[in-house]
Amino acid sequence: MSQQALSRSTYVGNVRRAVLLRAHPDRFRSHGDDERRRRQETLLKELGARISESDFSDYTTYRKSQIPFRKGPSRFIPFALERRDGSILDDKLDINDSVEGILQSLANLLKKSGAVPPKPPPADEPVFNQDANIFDMPQFDAIDRRFDLNTAKGRNLLSFVDGLDSSEVERRRTSRLDAVAIASVARQMYSFQAIDGIRLGWSSQNFAVLVSSVVSLHEEHSKKFNVTSFYPLRLVFTPDEMRDPLDLHGGTIYLHPADTQLQWLNVLQEVTESKLLELEHNREMANQRTSLLQNALGVKVVKGYSCSSREYHIFLAKMAESLSETLDSTNDESTALQVESLRVVVESPSASRRIRLTEEGYIRGNSAMSESDLRKAIARLAHDAQDRMKQEKEYTEKCKEMTRQIQYSLGLQRVFRKGVVSRKEFLISLGRLLEQSSNLGNSLSGFSLGIGTSGVFAHLSDDGSLIVPYDWR
């Protein structure tokens, strides 16, 4: 079977998401048709309820339905999709059709709108090499379990799933779609490269309200902007009041969520064509200096989370100047160490005081290190880094294969790492999911499952995903 083939559960989730984002009521706010928006809301509600029915669950887990499907009277729901050019495609969907019929209708509607629908999954259940699942699998470290009688309650996956409220899962999924849809509208209006509110930690429902204010600001005050397009700036909401609102090194414009629309307008008016050109120049210089580092030292340098964009650019300029002097003095352009794919992560000095090797095989340094410090670190850590990166690559490949098997066997739409979970821990959790697949049955069908750290209790995330610790029971 092709490595690119989707599981049925993933296919259902992808088709539904693609249709609903193009049919979301917020897409039609500029058309001034309240009746159309009400029809769109009906579609979201009816399609969500239909996908929650048992025949969809049987389809995603490759189980034969106990009750053969018998098509009842057709019940068509009229709705519209937004085409790529912004025009409207009016159509309708028979919500009482079979699973295959509904999916095919939705795929055809996506094609009509100019979108490329997801590739359909294989007709038959795939066969996997079971021997490969347990070969050289990492094991749990020895842990004293005498004192975790209470914490074990939050790690019981079956108990957690049995107590789930399916209506709450659907509500959170819908809220996340609402947030994504309104963010897409805002991104297109302003031509932002992206809109990010993850630092706020807000619910999807509250974030959607926040972004709606940004949309309203454009509708009312767009003529006061100094540019017609904010591309390639990213819009990031942050509660940090000490941050410069316009970052021309990182390409980010920051808005405080508690500010008024007029305060946001003042920030947006700081963006001019000359500043966008300055941003483009900064990016070109960063790319040139990064290439110089890679050619001279044989490593790929990336900015860490704690390092500011300006601090990172200053580091690149310092290293480029030092390397240029070194190459001029030696008249030798072949001084690069042959350590392909080795990665150096640059953090703030306050977050990383010394140069060290991470579990994933990255060299983690700080923006205060010199060229000499970096060369010494590469020479000292390169061998161990290559070994760890090789091990990490093996874990990654095993995780991909086992994730696919789990999606097929349990009907999960998505399985992913949540937070700072290592691939080794992720692989351990995936192995236990496969071992317990017969006990889990179709209880996880249609869900997305996130694997968190050991200290995380099983809970329902804001987007409707199930989050469990990697050492769940």
Side-chain angles (χ1 to χ4, degrees):
M1 184 188 62
S2 171
Q3 293 288 336
Q4 303 301 321
L6 299 176
S7 69
R8 286 181 176 179
S9 183
T10 304
Y11 176 70
V12 171
N14 288 355
V15 170
R16 179 193 184 195
R17 178 184 175 87
V19 170
L20 294 192
L21 286 180
R22 287 166 177 79
H24 198 277
D26 284 326
R27 289 277 190 177
F28 303 90
R29 56 188 297 134
S30 61
H31 295 276
D33 188 344
D34 292 338
E35 178 60 31
R36 185 191 297 277
R37 296 187 68 186
R38 281 193 289 269
R39 290 200 301 267
Q40 303 302 102
E41 290 173 356
T42 299
L43 172 71
L44 265 66
K45 185 181 299 183
E46 292 281 359
L47 186 57
R50 181 68 181 88
I51 290 177
S52 299
E53 293 181 6
S54 60
D55 56 341
F56 266 91
S57 177
D58 292 333
Y59 172 81
T60 56
T61 53
Y62 293 87
R63 290 179 172 84
K64 291 185 178 180
S65 179
Q66 299 298 321
I67 304 175
F69 175 79
R70 293 183 179 178
K71 190 177 186 306
S74 296
R75 185 162 67 91
F76 289 98
I77 298 178
F79 70 99
L81 291 181
E82 185 181 51
R83 294 190 179 96
R84 286 183 176 273
D85 60 3
S87 62
I88 303 301
L89 168 67
D90 287 303
D91 216 307
K92 56 187 176 180
L93 175 70
D94 182 3
I95 204 68
N96 283 342
D97 203 352
S98 65
V99 173
E100 292 84 353
I102 289 177
L103 293 175
Q104 186 60 54
S105 296
L106 294 178
N108 291 338
L109 288 169
L110 287 173
K111 286 183 180 179
K112 288 182 182 179
S113 70
V116 179
K119 184 178 179 181
D124 299 323
E125 183 175 4
V127 177
F128 296 98
N129 180 10
Q130 299 299 325
D131 294 336
N133 298 336
I134 58 175
F135 177 71
D136 196 25
M137 283 283 292
Q139 302 296 321
F140 278 110
D141 297 328
I143 301 175
D144 189 344
R145 300 293 186 186
R146 291 176 296 171
F147 306 106
D148 63 355
L149 295 177
N150 291 326
T151 59
K153 297 177 181 177
R155 298 203 310 273
N156 191 312
L157 179 57
L158 279 172
S159 176
F160 170 59
V161 173
D162 288 342
L164 275 178
D165 182 357
S166 58
S167 62
E168 177 62 17
V169 174
E170 184 60 31
R171 186 192 70 79
R172 296 193 184 197
R173 285 179 174 174
T174 302
S175 294
R176 175 56 62 91
L177 277 174
D178 290 342
V180 171
I182 191 64
S184 178
V185 171
R187 183 176 59 80
Q188 291 180 4
M189 279 184 168
Y190 289 85
S191 296
F192 285 127
Q193 189 177 63
I195 296 180
D196 181 6
I198 195 170
R199 305 182 189 196
L200 298 176
W202 288 16
S203 69
S204 294
Q205 186 175 7
N206 289 335
F207 183 68
V209 173
L210 179 66
V211 179
S212 294
S213 296
V214 177
V215 172
S216 299
L217 170 64
H218 189 282
E219 292 173 341
E220 186 174 354
H221 299 289
S222 60
K223 293 182 179 179
K224 299 177 183 178
F225 298 155
N226 294 313
V227 294
T228 57
S229 169
F230 288 83
Y231 187 84
L233 287 171
R234 296 170 59 250
L235 172 61
V236 175
F237 289 99
T238 176
D240 185 359
E241 298 181 353
M242 304 301 293
R243 186 186 292 274
D244 188 342
L246 185 57
D247 179 2
L248 294 180
H249 290 94
T252 306
I253 186 166
Y254 296 97
L255 295 182
H256 196 289
D259 285 348
T260 65
Q261 287 192 9
L262 291 181
Q263 288 174 306
W264 289 346
L265 177 60
N266 290 334
V267 174
L268 293 169
Q269 286 177 326
E270 292 184 23
V271 181
T272 61
E273 294 293 347
S274 62
K275 289 188 176 181
L276 291 179
L277 289 174
E278 182 181 347
L279 169 61
E280 183 179 351
H281 172 73
N282 288 339
R283 287 189 167 180
E284 289 178 356
M285 293 302 298
N287 290 335
Q288 292 176 14
R289 290 161 177 166
T290 301
S291 297
L292 175 62
L293 273 168
Q294 187 164 353
N295 293 332
L297 301 179
V299 296
K300 183 176 181 181
V301 181
V302 296
K303 187 181 80 70
Y305 179 79
S306 64
C307 185
S308 69
S309 300
R310 183 175 181 274
E311 187 178 16
Y312 180 64
H313 278 248
I314 292 174
F315 166 79
L316 290 177
K318 177 185 68 174
M319 295 296 291
E321 182 180 0
S322 178
L323 283 170
S324 297
E325 293 175 356
T326 302
L327 294 175
D328 290 341
S329 63
T330 60
N331 292 320
D332 183 5
E333 297 184 358
S334 61
T335 57
L337 298 177
Q338 299 302 314
V339 281
E340 295 182 4
S341 73
L342 193 61
R343 178 170 295 191
V344 176
V345 181
V346 181
E347 299 285 358
S348 171
S350 60
S352 180
R353 296 185 179 181
R354 61 185 181 86
I355 303 176
R356 64 183 182 87
L357 186 63
T358 68
E359 184 179 345
E360 296 82 8
Y362 300 154
I363 295 177
R364 189 177 299 278
N366 61 63
S367 59
M369 62 183 174
S370 64
E371 178 206 342
S372 176
D373 294 334
L374 181 55
R375 284 184 181 275
K376 291 177 181 178
I378 294 172
R380 176 170 53 89
L381 300 173
H383 180 72
D384 290 341
Q386 293 289 347
D387 289 343
R388 293 190 185 185
M389 290 176 67
K390 181 180 178 181
Q391 179 68 76
E392 194 72 6
K393 185 177 181 179
E394 291 176 0
Y395 283 159
T396 299
E397 292 303 315
K398 289 181 180 179
C399 286
K400 287 181 179 178
E401 178 62 20
M402 294 181 69
T403 296
R404 290 177 57 249
Q405 294 187 41
I406 288 168
Q407 287 179 303
Y408 278 101
S409 60
L410 298 179
L412 284 162
Q413 288 188 11
R414 183 177 170 227
V415 185
F416 59 96
R417 290 189 297 157
K418 178 73 172 179
V420 292
V421 178
S422 69
R423 285 187 174 83
K424 178 181 178 181
E425 293 169 336
F426 187 50
L427 188 58
I428 290 171
S429 187
L430 294 178
R432 298 187 65 241
L433 279 171
L434 279 178
E435 291 174 358
Q436 299 294 324
S437 58
S438 59
N439 295 331
L440 292 169
N442 65 349
S443 59
L444 297 177
S445 176
F447 290 112
S448 293
L449 180 66
I451 307 298
T453 58
S454 180
V456 174
F457 279 8
H459 66 279
L460 192 62
S461 72
D462 179 65
D463 66 350
S465 298
L466 316 184
I467 308 298
V468 298
Y470 84 91
D471 56 349
W472 57 273
R473 292 188 168 185

